[in-house]
């Protein structure tokens, strides 16, 4: 990414150089592609801190104060269309830089440095070591393992309470696995991209006997191997153009990169005579064998990144095998990517690998290289790590303090993936000012946390995307959703959706429901989003639209009062305008095969409210059968904030807290009733009337609604 500020990691890829000891001479510089704003990290309530006046605001003063705030505070999320794409270095630029380095280089032992631009990093940033894949190191596999191990042991001794991230690609993944097996006392987090542990089942395995008997003319075979590794970026580019995802001029630039790459293939082929390539393949074979023999000893947290179109290794099949064998493992599949997942074609891997004889002294690389790399097919390593909840600064993951808000570009991608939802539902959001006046927009939402939003959960959580996106765009407020544990973990493996399906929720700040997480959110002055009805409300039955399924006991009032949090009740309506529930839980339980399926799904998720009684205790997981309708419109109404700051002692009493709990529930029901009544007056409730309005006023124009 191109964001500025401290880095998530201190990063060091492994390359070769003539200079000195590999540990003493490494450059632990910032991985700018992983950088986010320090302000973003420090604030959990809002991405940019705002100040408010004390006391009761009159409407005019409220409007004036907010206008001044908006002028002083820049909202980086306010207009996703204006967020520019993150441009990185082209493949041609990388080849040219590698060529220039090679002209000045001499052979030497491996060392650590980064070819990316340098910058500062946060004080508590964990170390990230990148181990390239099909590298050209002229060194035995076990010597590489020992070299990396010395660095790991040294860094662990220096910071024993912080994790060390090892990102290993292909061969580098084998090294990472061996390091983990040999150092069980070190807190290592493994990010393994298309591991070469499947070498025995790859096309490269078949090259070894051929190379042992063939002549030295290897150019054709080496070019073939490169083509397998890089996939078909030009084809993917044209497919993206057809989908409207890339400007046509980018295809021209990519074509120039491919021409540039072809001009360097002869140089690479000259560098890799038959004996050299045979040596490398045999090292891959031994690395794969060693890593596989030690898999039983790897107990570390591991994230498997596999490509769907890897033509060098059967990466998807191998990821599934490793997923079953490694006890703390998650996997993510990138269907359109080739073997070199991290970069388009060969950019970083070849940049690092071609440095086999480069001399880059400290002074030369302290400033780093300008720009950033281009990830293959939109892949971003930091987004993958954050989405999988793999980023932590201590021994254990803290979903609140370890959370990093989305960068503008991450937000733009999430916005674009949900743009059709916003387009077809045209959400109307209403809020209540301090004087009780209802206004369109979110002006009545408190700026300063902690704030707890308590409301109704639509079927399948249809309301979530417009809600969270609009809060960021209009008020620069990040809603931290308190979510079901099924989005983060499994009680056992089975038929539930892959955890990767919920990465976007985690990127946008969702935390698993628990008392400790609730406490941390409020204590950090966050804006927390809570649905007391939970799964039972989101998976309701026919005829239960807009019915609350809240537990009898007050679960949140006393905690909110402990931190003086404002409680904002809200209602949402519109699910019955986008679809009709025709095949619900009761229908499915009448069919033996589906009843068994529901039971299996429910057993896979962590159970909540096992001590509760009534309907709220029914936490069965099922997939509702919904028939789409010509979309209507979503309506959100946020009631007047309920203060708890001055009632802390009073609300210690359970009876008093329960009274407030019932008051909040009543307010949510009133919000829903208000919206159901007022939407009947909306002339633009129907999609067709909204399309006509936008056709005459512009598709970015805000569509009117009922009068307030």
């Amino acid at each position: 990414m191109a964001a500025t500020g401290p880095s998530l990691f201190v990063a060091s890829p492994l390359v070769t150089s003539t200079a000195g000891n590999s540990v003493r001479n490494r450059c632990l510089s910032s991985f700018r592609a992983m950088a986010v704003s320090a302000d973003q990290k420090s604030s959990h309530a809002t991405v940019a801190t705002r100040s408010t006046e004390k006391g009761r605001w009159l409407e005019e003063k409220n409007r004036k104060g907010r206008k001044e705030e908006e002028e002083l505070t820049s909202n980086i999320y306010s207009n996703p269309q204006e967020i520019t794409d993150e441009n990185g270095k082209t493949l041609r630029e990388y080849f040219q830089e590698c060529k220039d380095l090679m002209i000045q280089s001499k052979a030497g032992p491996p060392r650590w440095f980064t070819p990316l631009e340098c910058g500062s990093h946060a004080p508590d940033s964990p170390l990230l070591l990148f181990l390239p894949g099909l590298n050209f190191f002229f060194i035995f596999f076990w010597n590489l393992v020992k070299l990396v191990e010395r660095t790991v042991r040294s860094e662990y001794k220096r910071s024993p309470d912080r994790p060390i991230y090892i990102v290993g690609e292909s061969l580098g993944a084998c090294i990472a696995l061996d390091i983990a097996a040999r150092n069980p006392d070190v807190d290592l987090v493994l990010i393994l991209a298309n591991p070469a542990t499947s070498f025995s089942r790859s096309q490269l395995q078949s090259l070894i006997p051929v190379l042992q008997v063939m002549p030295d003319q290897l150019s054709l075979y080496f070019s073939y191997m490169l083509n397998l590794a890089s996939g078909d970026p030009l084809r993917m580019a044209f497919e993206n153009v057809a989908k409207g995802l890339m400007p046509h001029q980018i295809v021209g630039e990519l074509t120039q990169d491919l021409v540039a790459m072809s001009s360097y293939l002869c140089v690479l082929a000259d560098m890799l005579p038959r004996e050299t390539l045979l040596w490398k393949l045999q090292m891959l074979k031994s690395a794969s064998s060693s890593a596989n023999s030690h898999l039983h000893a790897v107990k570390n947290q591991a994230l498997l990144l596999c490509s769907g179109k890897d033509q060098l290794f059967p990466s998807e099949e191998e990821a599934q095998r490793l997923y079953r064998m490694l006890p703390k493992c998650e996997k993510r599949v990138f269907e359109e990517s080739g073997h070199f997942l991290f970069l388009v074609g060969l950019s970083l891997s070849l940049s690092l690998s071609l440095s086999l004889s480069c001399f880059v002294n400290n002074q030369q690389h302290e400033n780093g290289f300008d720009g950033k790399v281009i990830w293959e097919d939109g892949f971003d390593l930091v987004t993958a790590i954050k989405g999988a909840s793999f980023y932590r600064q201590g021994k254990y993951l803290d979903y609140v303090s370890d959370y990093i808000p989305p960068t503008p570009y991450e937000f733009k991608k999430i916005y674009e993936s949900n743009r059709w939802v916003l387009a077809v539902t045209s959400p109307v959001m209403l809020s209540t000012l301090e004087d009780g006046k209802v206004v369109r927009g979110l002006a009545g939402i408190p700026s300063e946390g902690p704030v707890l939003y308590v409301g109704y959960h639509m079927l399948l959580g249809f309301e979530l995307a417009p809600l969270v996106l609009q809060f960021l765009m209009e008020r620069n407020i990040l809603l931290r959703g308190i979510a079901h544990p099924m989005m983060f973990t499994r009680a056992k493996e089975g038929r539930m959706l892959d955890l990767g399906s919920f990465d976007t929720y985690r990127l946008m700040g969702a935390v698993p429901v628990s008392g400790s997480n609730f406490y941390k959110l409020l204590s950090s002055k966050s804006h927390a989003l809570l649905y007391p009805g939970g799964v039972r409300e989101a998976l309701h039955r026919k005829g239960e639209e807009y019915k609350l399924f809240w537990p009898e006991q007050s679960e949140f009032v006393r905690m909110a009062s402990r931190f003086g949090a404002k409680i904002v009740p809200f209602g949402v309506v519109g699910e019955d305008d986008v679809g009709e529930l025709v095949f619900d839980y009761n229908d499915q339980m009448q069919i033996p095969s589906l009843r068994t399926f529901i039971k299996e799904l429910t057993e896979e998720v962590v159970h909540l409210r096992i001590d509760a009684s009534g309907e709220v205790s029914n936490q069965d997981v099922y997939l509702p059968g919904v028939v789409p309708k010509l979309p209507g419109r979503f309506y959100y109404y946020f009631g007047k904030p309920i203060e708890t700051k001055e009632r802390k002692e009073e609300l210690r009493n359970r009876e008093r807290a329960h009274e407030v709990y019932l008051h909040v529930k009543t307010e949510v029901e009133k919000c829903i009733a208000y919206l159901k009544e007022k939407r009947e007056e909306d002339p633009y409730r129907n999609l067709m009337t909204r399309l006509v309005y936008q056709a005459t006023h512009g598709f970015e124009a805000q569509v009117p609604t009922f009068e307030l």
Side-chain angles (χ1 to χ4, degrees):
M1 300 173 198
T4 60
S7 170
L8 294 181
F9 301 97
V10 181
S12 292
L14 179 63
V15 296
T16 60
S17 169
T18 60
N21 181 277
S22 61
V23 177
R24 286 198 305 270
N25 293 311
R26 68 184 180 273
C27 173
L28 300 183
S29 55
S30 167
F31 198 176
R32 180 61 61 91
M34 298 183 175
V36 297
S37 167
D39 292 336
Q40 292 176 358
K41 186 176 186 302
S42 62
S43 174
H44 301 286
T46 63
V47 180
T49 306
R50 301 183 181 203
S51 61
T52 59
E53 298 178 39
K54 293 183 179 180
R56 186 176 179 84
W57 285 4
L58 297 175
E59 179 181 353
E60 189 61 30
K61 184 178 288 187
N62 190 343
R63 290 179 179 175
K64 181 179 178 181
R66 294 193 185 284
K67 182 177 180 181
E68 292 174 349
E69 283 184 291
E70 291 171 357
E71 291 174 352
L72 294 173
T73 306
S74 174
N75 184 357
I76 57 177
Y77 304 109
S78 61
N79 196 339
Q81 294 91 340
E82 294 182 358
I83 297 175
T84 58
D85 291 345
E86 295 179 338
N87 297 319
K89 291 194 173 182
T90 65
L91 192 59
R92 179 174 51 179
E93 291 171 331
Y94 265 96
F95 272 121
Q96 185 60 49
E97 287 179 358
C98 291
K99 178 182 177 182
D100 295 340
L101 287 171
M102 291 168 61
I103 292 174
Q104 310 170 29
S105 66
K106 299 178 182 179
R111 65 174 294 180
W112 299 101
F113 92 111
T114 173
L116 304 180
E117 65 178 48
C118 299
S120 63
H121 58 83
D124 296 327
S125 297
L127 176 69
L128 182 147
L129 303 174
F130 174 70
L131 307 178
L134 290 174
N135 64 75
F136 305 148
F137 300 148
F138 292 96
I139 183 172
F140 285 105
F141 170 72
W142 277 110
N143 289 342
L144 281 175
V145 172
K146 292 176 182 177
L147 183 151
V148 177
E149 186 175 31
R150 284 198 301 270
T151 301
V152 166
R153 298 301 308 182
S154 173
E155 293 298 329
Y156 170 68
K157 184 177 180 180
R158 192 168 67 165
S159 303
D161 296 326
R162 278 188 286 177
I164 298 175
Y165 284 73
I166 301 183
V167 178
E169 178 188 37
S170 190
L171 171 68
C174 295
I175 298 174
L177 288 166
D178 270 324
I179 296 295
R182 289 162 59 94
N183 298 273
D185 59 317
V186 180
D187 184 9
L188 296 176
V189 179
L190 307 180
I191 313 295
L192 309 175
N194 298 322
T197 47
S198 62
F199 179 81
S200 61
R201 304 190 305 279
S202 72
Q203 297 189 49
L204 296 181
Q205 166 76 14
S206 61
L207 285 178
I208 293 180
V210 176
L211 291 173
Q212 289 173 336
V213 298
M214 70 172 294
D216 289 336
Q217 291 78 11
L218 189 60
S219 179
L220 175 63
Y221 291 90
F222 181 61
S223 300
Y224 169 69
M225 187 177 72
L226 287 177
N227 287 333
L228 287 179
S230 62
D232 191 352
L234 188 59
R235 174 193 56 76
M236 289 190 293
F238 279 112
E239 285 182 356
N240 286 334
V241 169
K243 298 174 185 176
L245 301 179
M246 292 179 63
H248 286 71
Q249 59 266 29
I250 294 181
V251 179
E253 295 176 4
L254 183 56
T255 304
Q256 293 177 12
D257 284 345
L258 295 177
V259 172
M261 183 174 72
S262 65
S263 67
Y264 286 100
L265 288 182
C266 59
V267 178
L268 299 176
D270 290 340
M271 293 172 55
L272 285 180
R274 178 179 63 85
E275 293 85 355
T276 303
L277 184 55
L278 181 58
W279 166 271
K280 296 303 171 185
L281 293 178
Q282 288 173 335
M283 186 168 73
L284 265 178
K285 182 178 180 180
S286 63
S288 175
S289 176
S290 175
N292 280 310
S293 67
H294 295 131
L295 283 178
H296 66 281
V298 178
K299 309 300 181 185
N300 305 71
Q301 189 180 13
L303 177 61
L304 293 168
L305 308 175
C306 64
S307 300
K309 295 186 177 178
D310 187 346
Q311 299 183 63
L312 279 183
F313 298 122
S315 292
E316 280 196 84
E317 177 186 332
E318 181 64 6
Q320 189 60 36
R321 183 182 77 91
L322 294 176
Y323 179 72
R324 292 193 298 265
M325 296 188 67
L326 300 177
K328 299 178 183 178
C329 184
E330 289 189 29
K331 64 182 176 69
R332 299 293 185 269
V333 180
F334 302 90
E335 298 292 349
E336 297 301 318
S337 296
H339 178 71
F340 289 122
L341 178 63
F342 292 150
L343 305 166
V344 172
L346 309 173
S347 51
L348 178 59
S349 294
L350 282 182
S351 295
L352 296 172
S353 302
L354 287 173
S355 301
L356 65 107
S357 57
C358 289
F359 173 74
V360 183
N361 63 38
N362 287 338
Q363 182 178 2
Q364 286 174 306
H365 70 256
E366 274 179 354
N367 294 327
F369 293 91
D370 294 328
K372 68 177 285 289
V373 294
I374 302 175
W375 304 99
E376 178 173 316
D377 196 33
F379 171 81
D380 189 296
L381 177 60
V382 176
T383 302
I385 291 174
K386 290 164 61 178
S389 296
F390 263 59
Y391 180 73
R392 55 185 171 89
Q393 296 180 334
K395 288 185 177 294
Y396 305 100
L397 172 65
D398 187 319
Y399 283 98
V400 177
S401 64
D402 285 330
Y403 174 69
I404 305 294
T407 65
Y409 186 62
E410 286 174 333
F411 176 74
K412 179 181 180 180
K413 293 178 68 176
I414 294 171
Y415 171 82
E416 289 177 344
S417 67
N418 288 280
R419 197 169 184 174
W420 67 272
V421 177
L422 300 174
V424 301
T425 61
S426 187
V428 174
M429 297 201 178
L430 311 175
S431 61
T432 308
L433 301 179
E434 295 251 345
D435 62 358
K437 182 178 180 180
V438 178
V439 295
R440 184 169 185 181
L442 301 175
I445 297 300
S447 297
E448 190 176 89
V451 182
L452 180 62
Y453 302 85
V454 184
Y456 168 72
H457 218 350
M458 276 190 185
L459 183 68
L460 296 174
F462 286 153
E463 82 285 355
L464 278 171
L467 173 63
V468 175
L469 293 175
Q470 192 64 31
F471 262 70
L472 260 180
M473 290 188 293
E474 184 175 339
R475 291 298 311 277
N476 205 18
I477 290 175
L478 182 65
L479 290 181
R480 303 294 307 274
I482 301 174
H484 195 283
M486 73 171 71
M487 296 183 178
F488 302 85
T489 187
R490 294 281 183 272
K492 68 176 186 179
E493 291 301 315
R495 302 187 180 186
M496 274 293 293
L497 288 173
D498 187 91
L499 286 175
S501 305
F502 304 105
D503 282 2
T504 298
Y505 294 92
R506 292 191 286 269
L507 273 173
M508 294 300 290
V511 303
V513 59
S514 72
S516 61
N517 284 336
F518 191 23
Y519 177 95
K520 291 174 183 177
L521 285 174
L522 296 183
S523 65
S524 61
K525 297 187 177 181
S526 298
H527 287 244
L529 176 63
L530 177 66
Y531 293 104
V535 168
R536 180 60 182 86
E537 209 163 83
L539 298 178
H540 60 245
R541 318 331 181 201
K542 286 184 286 189
E544 294 178 347
E545 297 86 358
Y546 312 122
K547 180 179 179 180
L548 301 185
F549 289 92
W550 289 20
E552 291 298 323
Q553 297 182 350
S554 54
E555 296 182 330
F556 57 82
V557 173
R558 296 176 72 197
M559 182 73 80
S561 66
R562 182 171 183 174
F563 297 98
K566 298 180 179 69
I567 301 175
V568 179
F570 72 95
V572 293
V573 302
E575 66 175 80
D576 52 344
D577 271 357
V578 298
E580 181 180 358
L581 178 59
V582 296
F583 195 44
D584 68 359
Y585 174 82
N586 296 327
D587 297 327
Q588 296 180 29
M589 289 296 286
Q590 302 300 316
I591 303 173
S593 59
L594 291 180
R595 183 167 62 246
T596 302
F597 179 67
I598 292 173
K599 181 180 179 181
E600 291 174 351
L601 285 183
T602 305
E603 290 175 350
E604 293 173 24
V605 303
V606 177
H607 292 183
L608 300 175
R609 292 172 172 165
I610 55 178
D611 297 329
S613 59
E615 274 299 308
V616 74
S617 66
N618 186 345
Q619 298 286 304
D620 286 0
V621 179
Y622 85 104
L623 183 62
V626 180
V627 175
K629 293 182 178 179
L630 186 66
R633 202 171 192 181
F634 282 178
Y635 302 86
Y636 301 73
Y637 176 27
F638 297 89
K640 186 177 180 179
I642 299 172
E643 293 282 355
T644 66
K645 189 174 183 178
E646 305 300 328
R647 306 178 64 184
K648 182 176 180 179
E649 294 300 322
E650 174 191 353
L651 295 179
R652 288 178 182 270
N653 182 283
R654 291 185 179 274
E655 292 184 0
R656 294 294 186 188
H658 190 66
E659 290 175 4
V660 175
Y661 176 78
L662 294 178
H663 173 58
V664 174
K665 184 177 181 181
T666 300
E667 288 299 307
V668 172
E669 292 172 331
K670 287 181 178 179
C671 290
I672 294 173
Y674 174 85
L675 292 175
K676 289 175 68 176
E677 177 183 350
K678 294 295 289 184
R679 70 173 175 176
E680 300 295 334
E681 305 171 12
D682 187 357
Y684 299 100
R685 178 179 174 183
N686 185 275
L687 174 64
M688 300 308 297
T689 56
R690 295 199 300 272
L691 290 176
V692 171
Y693 180 89
Q694 290 177 320
T696 56
H697 293 79
F699 283 94
E700 299 300 326
Q702 185 183 62
V703 180
T705 185
F706 51 78
E707 293 202 9
L708 299 175

